[in-house]
């Protein structure tokens, strides 16, 4: 019980801190892409350090702003909506494995808060529930524009949920389990004797579909018409202060969760190629034996590196492309991604029976 | 007060207001949309939020005084407005402009045109979500504005062109600065070409949206890039050449279908042509008069003038640099009474003082002969025309601006009919509506 | 622990259903129903059928109720419509309600005896469920899918007719 609590605390602190610094990463990466410097003024007693205090400054600013509810709207629902968004996305971190086991004093701790039998479905269910934050906020603000934004946002989210689920069926067929730890375990086997059996090598099409559907789920450019700031000005217009901060934060948490899912399902999670429980065993001969703690450390570092890489990739895609128009977005989801994922399932089935 | 669309709308459609304060309505304009789901069934455009009474104000100002007002019309390409106004007066009074001044005017017009197109496309792409492209365009615009600032003294409201020529000569490092600005602009254009030209998302967004047929364009009175995107070949620089455009070699790019993508492409190609024009001008421009050595301070010059040696060459203060008396023949006309006399004459001789006094005095100064005149130049958005009626006094009796945006925005209602609400934004951005020019 | 969770979930479920029936505002009713579905999912999880729990939440609470809320919000009724009240309906409805309660008591009295089925590890696992669904319950499965497609096509036909009008 205590163990689960400690693990949850570690996971959630890692998650929230990383989401916070994802805002910093986004600002700096977009600045590099756009030939400018980015935010670097926030300082702490004169130390600027590349603007690393900027997220803290943002958090303080959001917390100290006025918390208002527009007239003619229900107070309780207005407060509930950002909480729903935030809560359901934050809980998904509890199923992601950070490492294999850690042996402290003879007892074995799994580096995963909870290892559900239906891990993947749990994550999908929670992402489905986070749609309610969008709808509720759009409706409760008593404003035509936000209502439009909320409805369109949720329509987009439920459309791409289908593609998301279908793209994962291929993975479930290849690694026959729904548990995250078992999927990562399957990925540490070797294909052809030297290639680790990562999802990307077995399901490249599934990866592409999942990436696009997941980016649509996180409602970032090029899929961000519902919150299109310069077009219909989003569904969170009537929110200020910390509630608005929660929405923005949820955006980055979704980016992080998508990166975690990508690494766990397609890129081997915490698995370092050719690293086993006692050290490296390279396929071309040669071993490098390591103590257990170092092995776990390598795994955790590798997991973090992969997650950072995918966050970087999503930020890159966000700042490059213009946005889709709404009907093109729905066309893309229904008429392109779903048939493609069905084809992927069929092709996987055919190839597996060979 | 119910507007037309409120009376005409059907009961079940949604009336939505893209109000004057909207992030995408640059320059404040109000579009009321009658929506049927996502499609725009009908719309009404309401202009006039930036009406400042320019034409009425001009009736109370002398011809020289109202030059700064013309900057603020199309405020992203101010030099073209200046040129248009000044050339109208020159046509009325039949003033000849020295050749170097003409080349300088062409260079400044083309630099302004490039910055106008950069701003228009930056706004259009940013509102479609391509934020990086916006910042690339603004970077190029910054370089161009640096060049303009070094010569004219201001980035945006320059008031540089004078009746009979220009205010000062180009600054000494002009060639290198312009070469650097052009290189940055060419790099930016190449990057944006790679990012957007064949980008499926961009093409989906802009192809086939708000198609304007050539007949419709001519009927509405389109000019400029919007007309050329529909395939009609009309450019004031080629049809009625003014300044030195007939000696320069450039082509006029045309579009095919007249949709948003064509308007974007025509502007991109026009920017390349403007860069070519600037390069040719910088090569062909006649040399300026070299600076005279051995100038003396103003106090000594006054003493020297009292001792009847009035030809002393005075060292002017730094913000009058470039307008020394020896440079005047190359940048300003010889006609008397239409230009501010050089400061060296004003402060050292009685004739200069009287000329200066009479130029600025109410009732005297520039007094064109009675009559009316219309002259047009190729502005950033189209044919920018000035119509002046003079009654012989030093204030115009009537001054009317033919703003190209007005005619293009009048077609906006028909352009967005039947399209989605998300198409309104790129359509509106591609018309390059500038509030100052639209509402005067 | 499990008993505590069970009591919590079932009380929340019953409370939200009562809230759904008694609330006058449609949007509030829909929200209460969502809460009820989530609690039902939780109850499924307690009965060691995690797959059904997740699927219940994904499909019911995550997709179907979203569509309900779409419709409610697009129609945008401020105050709830109160149902027609006819005096004579009260008595037959009370009678039917009583019959239903007696039936429920009969069913519940059979299930209050703990059964052995929930103790198999693979009881609700996707593997067993899939096997059973495609062998023993194949016909109901396929016929249900045909039924859903029929509903889908019918909805589209109705909307199309309205557009042509």
């Amino acid at each position: 019980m205590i163990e689960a609590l400690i693990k949850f605390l570690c996971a959630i602190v890692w998650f929230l801190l990383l989401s916070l610094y994802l805002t910093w990463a986004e600002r700096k990466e977009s600045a590099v892409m756009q030939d400018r410097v980015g935010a670097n003024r926030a300082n702490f007693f004169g130390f600027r350090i590349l603007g690393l205090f900027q997220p803290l400054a943002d958090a303080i600013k959001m917390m100290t702003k006025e918390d208002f509810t527009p007239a003619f709207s229900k107070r309780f629902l207005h407060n509930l909506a950002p909480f729903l968004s935030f809560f359901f996305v934050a809980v998904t971190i509890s199923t992601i494995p950070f490492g294999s086991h850690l042996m402290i004093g003879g007892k074995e701790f799994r580096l995963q808060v909870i290892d559900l039998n239906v891990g993947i479905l749990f994550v999908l269910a929670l992402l489905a529930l986070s749609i309610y934050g969008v709808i509720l906020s759009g409706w409760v603000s008593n404003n035509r524009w936000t209502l439009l934004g909320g409805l369109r946002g949720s329509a987009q989210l439920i459309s791409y949920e289908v593609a998301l689920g279908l793209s994962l069926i291929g993975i479930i067929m290849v690694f026959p389990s729904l548990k995250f730890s078992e999927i990562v375990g399957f990925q540490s086997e070797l294909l052809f004797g030297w290639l680790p059996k990562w999802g990307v090598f077995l399901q490249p099409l599934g990866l592409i579909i999942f990436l696009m559907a997941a980016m649509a789920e996180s409602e970032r450019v090029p899929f961000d018409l519902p919150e299109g700031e310069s077009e219909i000005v989003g569904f969170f217009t009537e929110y200020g202060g910390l509630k608005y901060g929660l929405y923005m934060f949820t955006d980055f948490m979704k980016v992080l969760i998508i990166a975690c899912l990508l690494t766990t399902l397609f890129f081997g999670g915490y698995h370092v190629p050719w690293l086993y429980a006692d050290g490296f065993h390279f396929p071309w001969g040669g071993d490098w034996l390591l103590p257990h703690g170092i092995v776990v450390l390598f795994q955790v570092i590798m997991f973090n590196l992969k997650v950072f890489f995918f966050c970087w990739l999503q930020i890159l895609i966000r700042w490059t492309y213009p946005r889709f128009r709404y009907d093109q977005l729905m066309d893309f989801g229904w008429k392109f991604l779903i048939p493609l994922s069905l084809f992927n399932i069929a092709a996987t089935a055919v190839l597996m029976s060979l | 007060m119910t507007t037309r669309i409120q009376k005409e709308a059907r009961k079940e459609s949604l009336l939505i207001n893209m109000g004057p304060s909207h992030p995408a309505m640059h320059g404040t304009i109000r579009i009321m949309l009658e929506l049927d789901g996502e499609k725009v069934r009908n719309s009404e455009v309401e202009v006039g939020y930036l009406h400042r009474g320019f034409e009425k104000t001009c009736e109370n100002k002398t011809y020289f005084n109202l030059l700064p007002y013309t900057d603020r019309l199309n405020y992203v390409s101010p030099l073209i407005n200046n040129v248009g106004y000044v050339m109208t007066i020159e046509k009325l009074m039949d003033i000849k402009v020295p050749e170097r001044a003409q080349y300088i005017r062409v260079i400044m017009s083309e630099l302004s045109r490039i910055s106008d197109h950069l701003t228009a496309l930056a706004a259009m792409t940013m509102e479609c979500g391509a934020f990086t492209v916006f910042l690339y365009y603004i970077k190029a615009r910054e370089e161009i504005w640096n060049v303009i600032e070094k010569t004219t003294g201001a980035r945006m409201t320059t008031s540089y062109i004078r009746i009979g020529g220009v205010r000062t000569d180009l600054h000494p490092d002009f060639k290198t600065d312009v070469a650097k600005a052009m290189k940055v602009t060419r790099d930016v254009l190449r990057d944006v070409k790679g990012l957007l030209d064949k980008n499926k998302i961009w093409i989906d967004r802009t192809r086939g949206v708000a198609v304007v047929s050539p007949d419709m364009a001519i009927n509405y009175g389109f000019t400029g890039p919007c007309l050329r995107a529909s395939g009609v070949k009309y450019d004031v620089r080629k049809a009625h050449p003014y300044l030195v455009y007939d000696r320069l070699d450039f082509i006029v790019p045309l579009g095919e279908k007249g949709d948003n993508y064509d308007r974007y492409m025509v502007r991109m190609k026009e920017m390349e042509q403007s860069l070519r024009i600037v390069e040719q001008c910088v090569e062909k421009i006649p040399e300026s008069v070299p600076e005279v050595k051995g100038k003396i301070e103003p106090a000594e010059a006054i003493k020297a003038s009292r001792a009847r040696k009035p030809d002393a060459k005075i060292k002017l203060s730094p913000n009058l640099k470039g307008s020394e008396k020896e440079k005047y023949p190359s940048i300003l006309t010889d006609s008397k009474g239409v230009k501010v006399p050089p400061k060296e004459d004003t402060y050292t001789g009685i004739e200069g003082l009287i000329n200066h006094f009479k130029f600025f005095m109410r009732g005297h100064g520039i007094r064109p002969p009675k009559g009316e005149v219309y002259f047009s130049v190729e502005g950033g958005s189209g044919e920018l025309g000035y119509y002046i009626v003079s009654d012989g006094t030093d204030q115009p009796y009537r001054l009317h601006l033919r703003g190209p945006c007005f005619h293009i925005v009048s077609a906006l209602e028909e352009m967005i009919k039947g399209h989605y609400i998300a198409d309104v934004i790129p359509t509106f951005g591609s018309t390059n509506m500038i509030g100052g020019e639209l509402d005067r | 622990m499990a008993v505590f969770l069970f009591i919590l979930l079932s009380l929340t479920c019953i409370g939200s259903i009562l809230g759904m029936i008694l609330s006058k505002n449609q949007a509030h009713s829909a929200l209460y129903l969502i809460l009820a579905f989530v609690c039902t999912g939780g109850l499924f999880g307690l009965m060691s059928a995690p797959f059904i729990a997740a699927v219940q939440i994904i499909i019911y609470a995550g997709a179907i109720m979203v569509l309900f809320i779409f419709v409610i919000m697009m129609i945008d009724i401020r105050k709830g419509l109160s149902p027609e009240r006819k005096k004579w309906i009260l008595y037959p409805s009370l009678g039917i309600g009583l019959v239903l309660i007696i039936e429920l008591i009969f069913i519940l009295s059979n299930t209050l005896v703990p059964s052995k089925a929930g103790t198999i590890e693979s009881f609700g696992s996707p593997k067993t469920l899939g096997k059973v669904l495609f062998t023993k319950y194949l016909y109901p499965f396929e016929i249900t899918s045909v039924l859903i497609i029929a509903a889908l096509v019918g909805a589209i036909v109705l909307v199309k007719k309205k557009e042509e009008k």
Side-chain angles (χ1 to χ4, degrees):
Chain A
M1 181 67 181
I2 304 284
E3 162 196 339
L5 208 59
I6 296 178
K7 279 200 273 193
F8 181 67
L9 272 174
C10 292
I12 202 79
V13 163
W14 177 87
F15 193 48
L16 292 178
L17 213 58
L18 218 55
S19 306
L20 197 61
Y21 276 91
L22 209 59
T23 60
W24 175 85
E26 167 139 15
R27 286 172 111 137
K28 284 295 180 184
E29 183 176 338
S30 64
V32 166
M33 282 170 72
Q34 293 163 359
D35 287 341
R36 53 189 178 92
V37 181
N40 65 349
R41 298 282 172 187
N43 60 9
F44 191 67
F45 295 123
F47 293 109
R48 280 202 203 155
I49 320 181
L50 295 176
L52 278 172
F53 293 112
Q54 185 69 34
L56 296 175
D58 282 339
I60 295 177
K61 175 194 84 165
M62 297 255 172
M63 279 195 262
T64 53
K65 282 208 172 173
E66 182 195 351
D67 174 23
F68 65 92
T69 319
F72 312 121
S73 83
K74 305 156 199 19
R75 191 76 197 254
F76 176 64
L77 289 179
H78 192 89
N79 289 342
L80 186 65
F83 170 72
L84 283 183
S85 247
F86 178 81
F87 173 71
F88 288 121
V89 179
V91 176
T92 53
I93 191 63
S94 49
T95 51
I96 308 281
F98 287 79
S100 52
H101 330 270
L102 190 60
M103 311 277 281
I104 299 186
K107 267 189 82 176
E108 181 181 306
F109 297 97
R110 293 209 58 95
L111 288 178
Q112 187 179 6
V113 179
I114 188 169
D115 195 14
L116 289 177
N117 272 338
V118 282
I120 297 184
L121 284 184
F122 179 71
V123 172
L124 283 181
L126 287 176
L127 287 178
L129 283 177
S130 71
I131 297 178
Y132 285 110
V134 173
I135 298 188
L136 213 53
S137 71
W139 176 67
V140 96
S141 306
N142 196 34
N143 177 352
R144 223 169 247 176
W145 287 101
T146 57
L147 182 64
L148 251 183
L151 288 178
R152 279 151 59 146
S154 45
Q156 173 192 328
L157 289 175
I158 57 175
S159 317
Y160 280 88
E161 233 176 65
V162 183
L164 198 72
L166 282 178
S167 66
L168 288 180
I169 291 187
I171 284 285
I172 301 175
M173 285 163 82
V174 172
F175 305 125
S177 161
L178 287 172
K179 281 173 118 166
F180 275 117
S181 54
E182 276 180 25
I183 293 182
V184 177
F186 280 128
Q187 293 186 32
S188 47
E189 295 164 18
L190 293 175
L191 258 188
F192 311 128
W194 60 276
L195 197 64
K197 207 173 174 186
W198 284 359
V200 61
F201 302 122
L202 297 175
Q203 284 274 300
L205 194 57
L207 170 70
I208 296 176
I209 301 174
F210 181 78
L211 187 62
M212 293 201 271
M215 290 196 63
E217 281 285 318
S218 68
E219 282 200 343
R220 285 164 75 81
V221 182
F223 299 103
D224 76 336
L225 196 60
E227 70 172 53
E229 288 141 4
S230 34
E231 302 201 26
I232 53 159
V233 211
F235 55 83
F236 40 69
T237 342
E238 303 287 342
Y239 282 91
L242 196 56
K243 291 189 233 171
Y244 178 76
L246 276 179
Y247 274 120
M248 294 292 108
F249 205 52
T250 314
D251 195 354
F252 287 105
M253 289 206 300
K254 273 193 184 166
V255 169
L256 204 57
I257 274 291
I258 289 167
C260 288
L261 283 177
L262 268 172
T263 59
T264 313
L265 294 171
F266 289 93
F267 280 86
Y270 54 76
H271 172 243
V272 184
W274 311 305
L275 178 68
Y276 294 97
D278 54 347
F280 282 98
H281 295 281
F282 297 112
W284 54 81
D287 288 339
W288 184 20
L289 295 171
L290 295 164
H292 172 74
I294 304 288
V295 165
V296 173
L297 191 66
F298 269 6
Q299 286 177 339
V300 172
I301 291 178
M302 189 66 169
F303 177 74
N304 278 313
L305 282 177
K306 289 182 196 173
V307 166
F308 291 162
F309 173 73
F310 283 110
C311 292
W312 173 86
L313 188 70
Q314 289 185 56
I315 297 178
L316 186 74
I317 296 180
R318 183 213 170 153
W319 290 102
T320 312
Y321 288 105
R323 41 175 97 90
F324 275 110
R325 201 174 63 199
Y326 190 62
D327 62 320
Q328 291 162 356
L329 202 138
M330 298 305 253
D331 276 352
F332 185 70
W334 289 101
K335 292 188 195 165
F336 180 68
L337 279 188
I338 293 186
L340 199 63
S341 49
L342 290 174
F343 166 74
N344 179 35
I345 297 174
T348 314
V350 165
L351 285 174
M352 273 183 77
S353 66
L354 284 176
Chain B
M1 182 187 75
T2 49
T3 57
R4 168 178 64 92
I5 204 171
Q6 276 170 322
K7 290 184 213 134
E8 283 179 3
R10 270 157 276 204
K11 275 270 182 289
E12 65 267 12
S13 29
L14 186 67
L15 266 182
I16 249 184
N17 183 30
M18 280 182 143
S21 332
H22 186 98
M25 301 286 136
H26 21 76
T28 69
I29 195 176
R30 183 179 175 202
I31 305 184
M32 282 166 282
L33 299 163
E34 180 192 344
L35 293 179
D36 176 22
E38 282 267 323
K39 285 208 165 151
V40 174
R41 204 186 250 157
N42 213 352
S43 60
E44 185 182 347
V45 173
E46 191 174 299
V47 302
Y49 283 93
L50 199 54
H51 179 71
R52 298 162 289 181
F54 164 71
E55 295 178 358
K56 180 67 185 167
T57 311
C58 292
E59 292 172 16
N60 292 328
K61 302 265 168 223
T62 64
Y63 289 95
F64 190 68
N65 267 359
L66 73 92
L67 254 167
Y69 286 88
T70 55
D71 282 331
R72 282 122 173 110
L73 289 169
N74 183 342
Y75 35 75
V76 288
S77 58
L79 287 155
I80 304 182
N81 305 339
N82 281 351
V83 166
Y85 169 67
V86 155
M87 291 193 71
T88 318
I89 306 286
E90 286 167 6
K91 181 173 170 184
L92 186 59
M93 296 178 68
D94 206 15
I95 298 174
K96 241 182 76 45
V97 179
E99 198 171 319
R100 185 172 164 89
Q102 291 189 14
Y103 273 99
I104 295 180
R105 281 182 181 178
V106 168
I107 294 178
M108 289 296 160
S109 292
E110 293 306 316
L111 286 178
S112 278
R113 189 187 318 281
I114 297 175
S115 79
D116 191 336
H117 288 330
L118 285 173
T119 316
L121 290 180
M124 180 184 173
T125 53
M126 178 178 77
E127 281 142 20
C128 289
F131 300 107
T132 310
V133 173
F134 167 75
L135 282 166
Y136 285 172
Y137 278 135
I138 299 295
K139 177 176 71 168
R141 192 181 75 167
E142 276 298 306
E143 295 293 326
I144 293 179
W145 277 5
N146 277 343
V147 170
I148 295 183
E149 184 185 10
K150 276 194 172 170
T151 302
T152 66
R155 279 146 59 99
M156 202 155 126
T157 51
T158 49
S159 300
Y160 175 61
I161 318 284
R162 292 284 181 269
I163 298 175
V166 291
R167 160 121 172 51
T168 63
D169 206 345
L170 299 170
H171 65 275
D173 299 327
F174 187 76
K175 278 200 169 153
T176 45
D177 284 341
V178 143
K180 176 167 166 253
M182 288 203 294
K183 181 174 177 311
V184 169
T185 310
R186 285 210 162 101
D187 284 344
V188 158
L189 287 180
R190 187 199 62 210
D191 282 341
V192 173
K193 252 192 164 54
L195 271 178
L196 283 185
D197 263 14
K198 301 228 174 83
N199 189 336
K200 182 177 177 297
I201 301 180
W202 182 246
I203 294 182
D204 276 342
R205 211 62 213 274
T206 51
R207 256 270 173 250
V209 175
V211 176
V212 174
S213 67
D215 286 333
M216 178 178 155
I218 297 179
N219 285 342
Y220 269 104
F222 277 20
T223 47
C226 295
L227 178 67
R228 293 195 277 275
S230 299
V232 178
K233 191 173 165 131
Y234 176 69
D235 185 336
V236 182
R237 298 174 289 177
K238 291 277 194 194
H240 313 283
Y242 55 97
L243 293 176
V244 289
Y245 281 111
D246 42 2
R247 294 181 229 172
L248 298 170
D249 175 34
F250 63 101
I251 61 171
V252 172
L254 288 179
E256 291 159 32
K257 291 192 209 146
D259 52 11
N260 282 345
Y261 187 75
D262 275 340
R263 287 189 273 270
Y264 157 79
M265 277 312 285
V266 161
R267 288 203 169 92
M268 293 284 278
K269 291 193 176 149
E270 272 192 18
M271 279 198 267
E272 287 167 23
Q273 296 302 313
S274 294
L275 287 170
R276 276 181 65 197
I277 295 178
V278 172
E279 275 176 346
Q280 291 172 45
C281 283
V282 166
E283 278 173 48
K284 288 188 177 169
I285 191 169
E287 282 296 314
S288 86
V289 178
E291 223 174 294
V292 166
K293 301 284 176 200
K295 295 192 184 161
I296 55 178
E297 296 290 329
E300 293 168 3
I302 295 179
K303 258 199 253 165
S305 74
R306 288 195 194 125
R308 292 201 190 108
K309 287 201 194 80
D311 265 336
K313 303 283 179 271
I314 309 178
K315 210 190 296 178
L316 289 178
S317 78
N319 43 351
L320 290 175
K321 217 141 175 47
S323 58
E324 289 92 338
K325 184 174 170 192
E326 63 267 12
K327 303 234 172 174
Y328 259 48
S330 61
I331 58 171
L332 274 175
T333 179
D334 287 329
S335 319
K336 283 206 179 289
V338 296
K339 60 179 198 260
V340 180
K343 291 288 180 231
E344 292 95 329
D345 282 345
T346 314
Y347 289 134
T348 57
I350 192 68
E351 298 88 15
L353 190 62
I354 294 178
N355 280 342
H356 180 105
F357 181 72
K358 286 190 81 170
F359 183 76
F360 284 106
M361 174 79 171
R362 267 254 144 118
H364 298 262
I366 305 177
R367 276 175 288 172
K370 274 195 194 171
E372 56 187 31
V373 66
Y374 173 81
F375 189 78
S376 60
V377 295
E378 176 76 16
S381 305
E383 176 175 338
L384 185 71
Y386 284 83
Y387 172 71
I388 297 186
V389 175
S390 152
D391 57 353
T393 61
D394 60 338
Q395 293 173 352
Y397 180 74
R398 171 85 172 104
L399 186 147
H400 173 71
L401 175 83
R402 189 240 181 235
C405 295
F406 189 76
H407 305 271
I408 300 177
V409 170
S410 66
L412 194 67
E413 289 177 15
E414 200 177 316
M415 274 159 70
I416 58 179
K417 199 178 246 193
H419 290 290
Y420 294 96
I421 188 177
D423 286 329
V424 173
I425 306 286
T427 310
F428 182 65
S430 73
T431 59
N432 191 21
M433 185 219 88
I434 309 284
E437 197 172 56
L438 177 72
D439 296 333
R440 289 172 281 263
Chain C
M1 184 67 200
V3 178
F4 168 69
L5 268 182
F6 175 73
I7 294 180
L8 179 68
L9 282 174
S10 27
L11 281 178
T12 318
C13 194
I14 296 175
S16 55
I17 295 287
L18 276 175
M20 179 191 89
I21 300 175
L22 298 173
S23 117
K24 291 209 172 58
N25 187 343
Q26 267 101 339
H28 285 177
S29 310
L31 292 174
Y32 280 127
L33 190 56
I34 296 171
L35 188 58
F37 279 140
V38 173
C39 294
T40 319
L43 285 172
F44 277 131
L46 270 182
M47 288 197 280
S48 61
F51 181 74
I52 304 183
V55 168
Q56 158 94 358
I57 294 184
I58 294 179
I59 296 190
Y60 260 114
I64 294 185
M65 288 313 294
V66 170
L67 295 174
F68 265 66
I69 291 200
F70 263 23
V71 174
I72 292 179
M73 286 177 186
M74 286 216 251
I75 304 220
D76 194 26
I77 305 180
R78 295 280 150 193
K79 239 177 151 252
L81 293 170
S82 50
E84 302 178 11
R85 288 172 186 242
K86 294 193 177 133
K87 279 280 179 179
W88 58 270
I89 279 214
L90 189 59
Y91 303 105
S93 57
L94 272 180
I96 296 180
L98 207 59
V99 168
L100 280 174
I101 291 182
I102 296 177
E103 279 187 29
L104 265 177
I105 293 177
F106 268 132
I107 298 173
L108 280 179
S109 64
N110 284 341
T111 61
L112 279 177
V113 177
S115 77
K116 299 275 196 288
T119 53
I120 309 178
E121 169 63 36
S122 66
F123 168 64
S125 80
K127 223 175 195 173
T128 358
L129 193 68
K131 270 199 194 145
V132 162
L133 205 54
F134 279 97
T135 51
K136 193 163 159 202
Y137 295 103
L138 180 62
Y139 281 123
F141 183 61
E142 295 296 330
I143 293 175
T144 316
S145 65
V146 171
L147 207 62
I148 294 179
I149 292 187
L152 195 68
V153 171
I156 294 180
V157 164
L158 281 173
V159 169
K160 271 254 139 106
K161 267 205 177 141
K162 191 166 162 230
E163 265 181 22
E164 277 168 12
K165 233 193 263 181

